[in-house]
Amino acid sequence: METKLDAFAEVLDGPVYVVTVAAGGKRSGCVVGFASQCSIRPPRFMVWLSTLNHTFRVARGASHLAVHVLDQDQRLLAELFGGETGDQVDKFAQVDWWPSAAGIPLLAGACAWFVGRIETRIDGGDHVGFLLTPTEVSPPVRTAPALLRYSDVKEIDPGHPA
């Protein structure tokens, strides 16, 4: 079903992210296309999670999320986190990771990441926005990578409908 925003959104090709979370003894992670820095001072970043997603259900009880940037060579990581659901698969058993200071899984292969404290949640319809304040950040990247973008992953069959 087309919406009035489809024609506009069709020309966008933004980066995709892998968001990870841990809460209530559970870990989860998913590919996210709706995310952006939204403030410089204070630094803030907004991530939108589908309400149908396993990661969203875990994130409802979380205090922090981690946001990972992938480069174009990391499509397999995007396929795992975008094409499988945490309802059925332990994605973290298939990748190298370590816990952040807040206990959030950090993906060893990501070219950059940050952990953010959840300041608030905003209902956006079929997605909920998580406003994050950075608390941990990966080491600086020396050269800007060619980021994995929506056009690189749009053919992945999602683990859950968006």
Side-chain angles (χ1 to χ4, degrees):
M1 176 172 56
E2 287 199 31
T3 70
K4 292 183 180 191
L5 194 56
D6 286 346
F8 176 81
E10 191 70 27
V11 301
L12 303 177
D13 193 23
V16 295
Y17 307 89
V18 173
V19 172
T20 59
V21 63
K26 296 180 182 178
R27 294 184 306 247
S28 194
C30 66
V31 169
V32 172
F34 302 155
S36 178
Q37 181 176 348
C38 57
S39 177
I40 298 169
R41 288 182 189 82
R44 298 286 189 270
F45 195 90
M46 181 68 84
V47 172
W48 296 90
L49 298 177
S50 168
T51 59
L52 300 177
N53 195 300
H54 181 263
T55 304
F56 168 75
R57 292 193 304 276
V58 176
R60 286 186 302 191
S63 62
H64 293 74
L65 298 177
V67 180
H68 304 78
V69 176
L70 304 180
D71 66 35
Q72 287 185 340
D73 294 336
Q74 296 174 306
R75 182 180 161 89
L76 292 177
L77 196 55
E79 287 177 5
L80 174 63
F81 280 89
E84 301 291 340
T85 173
D87 293 313
Q88 301 169 353
V89 173
D90 179 2
K91 300 173 195 180
F92 298 96
Q94 300 178 47
V95 297
D96 291 332
W97 65 276
W98 72 92
S100 72
I104 307 303
L106 298 173
L107 303 177
C111 60
W113 54 264
F114 80 93
V115 175
R117 181 180 58 250
I118 300 169
E119 298 295 339
T120 193
R121 294 163 176 86
I122 299 169
D123 183 353
D126 61 2
H127 284 65
V128 170
F130 290 76
L131 182 64
L132 306 175
T133 296
T135 59
E136 291 179 67
V137 180
S138 63
V141 177
R142 294 188 189 267
T143 58
L147 297 180
L148 192 67
R149 298 197 166 274
Y150 174 71
S151 61
D152 298 320
V153 300
K154 68 182 179 182
E155 301 302 322
I156 295 174
D157 188 25
H160 268 288

